[in-house]
Amino acid sequence: MRALIIAENEFLRLLRHPVIIIFVIVLCAMSVISAAGQSVHGPVTVSVGNPYVFMDGIGQIYYFTTLVFWSLALCLGVVSVSIDRSNGVLRLLLTKPLYRRDVIAGKFFGASAVLLALIMFHLFLASLLLTIAFRGPENFDIVLKVVSIGVVLFISCTFTLGIAMVLGTVLKDALSASIACISYFFLGLYVEMPVSTEWLRIILSQSSLVNYWIFDNEVNIFLNNPPSIFSVWLGVAMPYIIFLALEALAVFLAACLLFNREEA
C-alpha cells in the first residue's frame, strides 16, 4: 500500500519533468513524419491492394520508437534514483515510516506507469495519423498485433528502467550513474554487431531480443505478403516474451535487494 502511494506521487512528479516534455515532442514529431511519409510512399513499399499496409506503417517507425523509449527508461531511472539521491530526496523518504523496498518499488512502479502511458499515447497517435493519412487496420487481428507491440515494448522498457535503477543504487552520484547508463545503451548496440555471439545478444541486447527473436524470428508480425496470423506469431514469440519478462522481474528484485543494503 505504501509503495502504491509512492508510485502515485512518482508518476505525477515525472509527468511534469522537462525530460518527459522533450520526449513527448519527439514522439509527436516521429508520428507525424512517419504518417506523412507513409501517405506518400506507402502504396509503393507494399504490393498494390495489400490489406496489411497499416502494419507496414507501424513497422516503419517501430525501430526508432524502441530506441527512444529505451533511452527514456534510462533517463527515468537516473532521475528516480541517482538524481533524487544527489538532491537528498531519498534520504528524506527514508526518514518516513517506510521500508526501503517500498521506496524503490514505488519509484519503479511510478516510472513504469509513465512509460506505459507514453507508449499507449504514441501507438494511439501513430495509428490515428496512419489511419487519417492512408488506411486504418482492416480487422481485429491487426489491432491485436499493435497492442502486442505496445506490451512487448513496455516489458523491455521496464527491464531497461530496472538496469538504470540498479546502476543508480550501486553508484553514488548522478554523473557516474548517467555515464554507466549511456555505456549500457551503447553496449546493447555493440552486441548487435556480427562479432557478438548469439547467446550474448539474447542476454544483453534488448534490441536483439525484441526486434529479432520476438518480432522477426520465423514469423514476422510486420509481414505484409503473405500476412502473418496473430495466433501463429504469438505461439512462436511467447517463449521469448516470457524470458524478457523474467529478465525484467530479476532486475527489479536486484534493485530492491541492493537498495536495502546501500546507504541513501
Side-chain angles (χ1 to χ4, degrees):
M1 185 63 182
R2 294 170 179 173
L4 294 179
I5 295 175
I6 296 176
E8 180 182 359
N9 292 331
E10 188 73 3
F11 174 79
L12 296 175
R13 183 177 74 98
L14 289 177
L15 278 183
R16 297 189 294 266
H17 198 279
V19 170
I20 298 299
I21 298 175
I22 294 173
F23 272 89
V24 168
I25 294 174
V26 171
L27 291 175
C28 291
M30 288 174 57
S31 300
V32 171
I33 294 172
S34 175
Q38 189 68 12
S39 66
V40 176
H41 300 290
V44 178
T45 58
V46 296
S47 59
V48 178
N50 192 311
Y52 281 70
V53 68
F54 179 84
M55 287 305 299
D56 183 76
I58 295 294
Q60 294 293 331
I61 197 176
Y62 176 76
Y63 178 74
F64 297 101
T65 297
T66 58
L67 294 180
V68 168
F69 274 104
W70 290 332
S71 302
L72 176 59
L74 290 174
C75 290
L76 292 183
V78 171
V79 170
S80 295
V81 176
S82 303
I83 294 181
D84 280 1
R85 168 181 279 179
S86 300
N87 294 338
V89 175
L90 285 182
R91 189 176 298 108
L92 178 63
L93 283 175
L94 293 177
T95 61
K96 308 297 181 180
L98 297 170
Y99 292 110
R100 280 176 168 261
R101 64 174 181 269
D102 291 335
V103 173
I104 197 67
K107 286 183 166 293
F108 180 85
F109 294 147
S112 296
V114 172
L115 289 169
L116 179 60
L118 291 179
I119 289 172
M120 293 173 59
F121 166 76
H122 174 63
L123 288 177
F124 172 78
L125 179 61
S127 300
L128 178 62
L129 291 176
L130 282 173
T131 300
I132 295 173
F134 190 65
R135 184 186 301 175
E138 287 78 10
N139 55 52
F140 191 65
D141 190 77
I142 296 183
V143 175
L144 291 176
K145 289 182 179 181
V146 175
V147 173
S148 298
I149 291 170
V151 171
V152 172
L153 180 57
F154 171 69
I155 296 174
S156 65
C157 284
T158 58
F159 174 84
T160 306
L161 174 66
I163 290 290
M165 286 189 166
V166 167
L167 294 174
T169 300
V170 174
L171 302 174
K172 300 300 183 182
D173 62 276
L175 178 60
S176 299
S178 299
I179 294 174
C181 287
I182 294 173
S183 300
Y184 166 76
F185 181 80
F186 283 101
L187 174 65
L189 298 179
Y190 173 76
V191 297
E192 289 293 304
M193 301 174 64
V195 296
S196 180
T197 59
E198 183 176 295
W199 66 267
L200 193 61
R201 291 193 188 104
I202 297 178
I203 294 176
L204 293 180
S205 174
Q206 293 305 292
S207 177
S208 178
L209 181 60
V210 173
N211 292 335
Y212 175 72
W213 292 101
I214 291 180
F215 287 135
D216 292 331
N217 190 17
E218 297 183 27
V219 180
N220 189 339
I221 195 173
F222 302 111
L223 192 63
N224 290 302
N225 190 21
S228 60
I229 301 174
F230 174 78
S231 58
V232 175
W233 168 82
L234 186 62
V236 173
M238 184 56 70
Y240 301 102
I241 297 175
I242 294 175
F243 178 78
L244 180 64
L246 291 176
E247 276 190 320
L249 177 61
V251 172
F252 165 67
L253 294 177
C256 291
L257 180 62
L258 290 172
F259 190 73
N260 280 336
R261 297 181 177 182
E262 288 287 330
E263 294 292 334

